[in-house]
Amino acid sequence: MRIAHVTLDPTAVVAPVSRRTFGTFVEHMGRCVYTGLYEPGHPSADEDGFRADVLALTRELGVTTVRYPGGNFVSGYRWEDGIGPRDRRPHRRDLAWHSVETNEVGIDEFARWAAKADVEIMYAVNLGTRGVQEALDVHEYVNHPAGTHLAELRRANGAEKPYGIRMWCLGNELDGPWQLGHKNAEAYGQLAAATARALRAAEPGLELIACGSSGSAMPTFGAWEATVLEHTYDLVDYLSCHAYYEEYDGDLGSFLACATDMDHFVDSIVATADSIGARLRSKKKIQLSFDEWNVWYLSRFQNQPPVDEWQVGPRVIEDEYNVADAVVVGNLLISLLRHSDRVTAACQAQLVNVIAPIRAEPGGPAWRQSIFHPFARTAALARGDVLRTVVDAPGYQTDRYGEASVVDAVATHDSASGDVAVFVVNRDLAQPVELTVDLGRFGPVAWQGGASSLYDDDIRLTNTVEHPDRVVLRANRQLSVRDGSARIVLPPVSWTALRLSAGTTD
Ligand code: AHR
């Protein structure tokens, strides 16, 4: 058995846990909206046509923020197509995914869904085929209280009160040549700055997110961010980051270590942003919105024949996730939490059917994919402050990401309840690890604990419509808590959440 140690210190605080770390993403893409969230004929559909089974799973997942309506889709989207009487809404070509958008769901319907799911909307405007005026128009429609043309139109359409959307994405992935209206960094920086100025003139307190690179493999990675921030530093609050990971050519060791790449990604963008801030002699710190992240078998998608074009809600990238994928997703959340001083918003992409923790069949059931479980448990247990968590563990060599630790972990501490949560992965393909968590620096505390782990002898096991609960969290009984420390055995290729509750010793 391999051995690892973590020493926790309640004064070594990175930052408070940002609830927005547990965001998600709903794009008008594939079956995320149509037959995902929305299916009027479904047995569970409510009075608005929303699937109650999907809504219940969304609540259980614990998501807090939802980015909407895209993604690549937004760069050709006309928001006003999706308002007013449904029978007059146009059907349009969606050039991003070559499908037909019926506009049955628009911002009013989505805001109703978000209220039912109790999530905050992060709204993305189209800066691909559109610009400042259209961004102002949609803002007037959703956020202006009353007395102007578009605010009154919203009220006439049934929403008396404005939606009060605070977070606004200034476009999507405009560095990517696949993006409608793709621009170079200079042109995008100017447009983002002009849009930010206009939106702030309408509502100064908005939180604005400028596009970062669409991935760290982009040739302009880093340079794009620097140029965009040269134009927008004082005008925006966030820079967006996007990253998707997959296992290449059966190289599981590298795949399991991909959170080290996310760590490096964040550190690089923080350094880039801070260098622009230093040059501008600004005390402001730009936050990161990691508003697209997940495991995505993108290379399989790219190698597949295209689905029949111009369908409504086609089956697109409905990846089925296994045990190893769930361990990686848990690890990516560890990375995001570890950077809570700078990553204060994040959205797993996407919510339903499209590379998603929730799957739903038309007319049939909805179920939890393997990746649902580490997300839901982390969202439920991460409370209070993130603690600096240094792991002493053996290392191993990966082909893709160099040297990686066999164990990766992050801890949170809620000083109000005294609870500590530790989220940890064992990346070893064959051996269990005995992890000791030293809690001595919390003083004389009588700890009680519980733990659950996600693992299986068959790391390729998935949940399916026929077998929706093959991959679940299991109670980890190999936990002992005594004398100011916790000891737990982590199975090979596993993700574990450890919850330690404090009582006092007199
Ligand atoms: O989430 C799927 C796609 O990935 C999004 O539309 C796009 O922004 C990204 O490239």
Side-chain angles (χ1 to χ4, degrees), residues 68 79 104 106 131 169 174 187 353 383 414 485:
Y68 176 83
W79 68 272
E104 270 175 273
C169 301
L174 285 148
N353 289 329
R383 290 279 181 276
D414 183 357
S485 75

Side-chain angles (χ1 to χ4, degrees), residues 25 27 29 67 70-74 96-97 172-173 178-179 214 242 244 292 296 298 317 349-350 354-355:
F25 177 32
E27 176 165 6
M29 172 181 176
R67 183 167 179 254
N72 295 343
F73 169 80
V74 81
W97 304 109
N172 177 69
E173 292 191 351
W178 60 85
Q179 199 73 207
S214 49
H242 292 179
Y244 293 100
E292 284 189 36
W296 174 6
L298 180 59
I317 54 168
Q350 300 185 6
V354 177
I355 43 172

